[in-house]
Amino acid sequence: MKVLVLGGYGVFGGRLARLLLEDGVEVVVAGRSETKARAFCDEFGGAALALDKNDRDAVSAALRGTDVLVDAIGPFQGYDGYPLAEAAIAAGCHYLDLSDDAGFTAGISALDASAKAEGVAVLSGVSSVPALSSAAVEALKTDLSEITLIDTAILPGNRAPRGWSVMEAILSQVGRPLAQWRGGAWVDTPAWGGVARRALPKGLRRSASPIGAPDLVLFPATYQARSVLFRAGLELGVMHHGLRVFGWLHRKGLLPRLDKLTWPMLQAARMLSPFGSDQGGMSVVVAGRAAEGAAQTRGWRLHMDEGQGPFVPAVPALLMVRWFTQGRATPGAGPALGCFDLAEAEEVLSGISGSFDKDAPDMTPLFEKAIGREAWSAMPDSYRTGHDLWDRHVMRGTSKVTRGKGALARFIAALFRFPPERDDTPLTVTMERIGETEKWTRNFDGQRFFSVLSYAGPGRVRERFGPFEFELDLPVNDGRMEMNVMRGWVMGLPMPAWALPKSETAEFDQNGVFRFDVKISAPVTGMIVHYQGQLRREDLIPPPA
């Protein structure tokens, strides 16, 4: 098996070339710099070749007698079409690339017919994503009747080497709109605009922010997942949060596209490379429901030590070359989804300082956890649909709003931004899971207010409105759930019992429709607001193929 690796002396291509050489594969290390290619081959082996990927005649000549072409150059965000893949097909050799660009990886299916006609395999994204991440999903989704969330994060150590292509690929996205499939709909969020904490084995915890990846485009349809999230993180806070600030400045028009700043950003990253650690990894979480309806959360986490993280993107390509060597290639072109078993990757990674575990956070929806599995199962479908929150969903309907009449009641209603009085108010409720909490944003025809809910023990939740927090009891009777205020705090200080508001709140089903009735009163003011109505969760849009 003869493999030509374009970018074979780079960060990821160099690791792949080394793995292939250890496997006894004949490797041609190619790139624009013959000096760098020769230096690599003098140290690790292989044949050096000066080759510009844009010189089509030179590429065609180099592919004569080649079995596999691997493109490890990038950044794939800037590619115009698939000239390298087309050249490989014309030469009758297999093609792999390490693309991390969603559009490029998904679009390569356009070459499917020509690849099949020539009997060659053409695979894009043969890297950490989507090849390795999809292998993890395939292993984790066993016996799930429904996948509600796929959440992936890649978290390299700060001392990991950074190439120009990877840096440019990241910077080209920061601060720009990023479409994510959340709750059955496409939702735009700024790339690198938010932050969450993710854990790896051996006690590592890192910040992670949304960034584009093939998973975001491919997984919704492939796995019929309700939500698909992807994040990446930088170990040093000054780098991670500094990038968030630069993204915000770009959104405000105060900075150009950040990929124009690749060179100074790369120099800054290299100056900071002595700090942090050489430890990194990735995590994949798959949540959903088993056949009997029970909530399930499953995880796969990889930890790489000793600065070996850059080998991870190379392992999927190594595995595919092994498949080709064994005659297991399937002709055709498409994204690298579920191409190999996770165990195959783990076997290679474990030999390169990789370690694994299957820890995952409990992502049982808040109200299912609070009222208990038995009561949840007995609740009407409309109730469970409304509270079956794993990531984000939107409910729409109408409401009748009545306001208290006294001056103090009106003041309190204004303070909490409760809606004005109206018989038929359009209502949208956006529910979003943030860690172990749920944020409910209620929009009464433009008048918005929100609260944050959290678990407070069996049969109870807490709801926070700014500085006010209340503990609610949740009695359930005959498919009807009530919410009764039991305790309260203002800025963390306990409220006396006589000052607690009274909540006459109920959620129930009526003719298959989720209905709510919320009446809030206070001892001094009497009724403050009373709103009642109905809601339906937005129909899940079938994920695009």
Side-chain angles (χ1 to χ4, degrees), residues 179-386:
Q180 296 177 305
W181 185 253
R182 303 186 63 188
W186 291 109
V187 178
D188 277 342
T189 187
W192 218 268
V195 65
R197 298 287 286 175
R198 290 293 178 265
L200 294 176
K202 300 186 179 181
L204 265 64
R205 290 185 64 84
R206 301 271 173 81
S207 295
S209 293
I211 196 74
D215 304 32
L216 296 178
V217 171
L218 298 168
F219 285 8
T222 302
Y223 298 111
Q224 294 294 297
R226 195 187 302 174
S227 290
V228 176
L229 304 177
F230 183 86
R231 295 180 175 90
L234 301 176
E235 181 180 5
L236 298 185
V238 66
M239 295 177 65
H240 188 100
H241 298 295
L243 208 54
R244 291 183 63 205
V245 172
F246 288 143
W248 180 85
L249 292 172
H250 171 68
R251 295 198 303 275
K252 298 298 182 181
L254 300 176
L255 279 180
R257 279 185 49 154
L258 295 186
D259 53 342
K260 305 295 185 183
L261 307 175
T262 299
W263 188 87
M265 291 284 196
L266 191 57
Q267 300 313 306
R270 287 171 176 168
M271 289 176 60
L272 293 169
S273 60
F275 302 97
S277 72
D278 59 1
Q279 302 179 67
M282 67 183 291
S283 70
V284 180
V285 172
V286 175
R289 294 197 178 275
E292 71 278 7
Q296 298 278 318
T297 309
R298 301 166 181 178
W300 178 78
R301 304 192 305 178
L302 163 67
H303 177 277
M304 297 298 293
D305 211 342
E306 302 171 0
Q308 304 290 56
F311 276 101
V312 177
V315 168
L318 168 71
L319 294 176
M320 295 317 301
V321 171
R322 286 181 178 178
W323 277 48
F324 297 160
T325 304
Q326 298 162 10
R328 298 165 68 185
T330 301
L337 294 170
C339 295
F340 50 81
D341 291 335
L342 183 61
E344 294 180 80
E346 289 183 338
E347 182 180 359
V348 177
L349 290 166
S350 62
I352 321 173
S353 81
S355 57
F356 321 93
D357 70 29
K358 294 186 176 180
D359 286 352
D362 179 12
M363 299 196 70
T364 303
L366 173 61
F367 278 77
E368 179 177 359
K369 183 178 180 179
I371 68 174
R373 173 67 187 159
E374 184 177 349
W376 173 268
S377 300
M379 294 297 281
D381 288 344
S382 65
Y383 172 90
R384 294 200 308 271
T385 299

Side-chain angles (χ1 to χ4, degrees), residues 108-170:
I108 205 165
S109 297
L111 304 180
D112 186 55
S114 57
K116 286 178 178 176
E118 294 298 327
V120 297
V122 173
L123 294 172
S124 182
V126 190
S127 185
S128 304
V129 293
L132 182 56
S133 55
S134 65
V137 173
E138 292 285 346
L140 297 173
K141 74 180 183 66
T142 306
D143 299 329
L144 290 182
S145 60
E146 178 188 11
I147 296 178
T148 53
L149 175 66
I150 301 173
D151 189 340
T152 303
I154 292 183
L155 307 164
N158 186 59
R159 296 181 188 173
R162 298 175 177 88
W164 179 281
S165 295
V166 172
M167 180 69 76
E168 188 176 11
I170 293 172

Side-chain angles (χ1 to χ4, degrees), residues 12 16 20 30 99 136-137 140 142 145 179 196 199 201 207 212 256 302 327 336 389 429 445 468 484 543:
F12 301 137
L16 172 60
L20 291 171
S99 168
V137 173
L140 297 173
T142 306
S145 60
S207 295
L302 163 67
L389 181 63
V429 180
D445 197 25
F468 296 89
N484 303 318

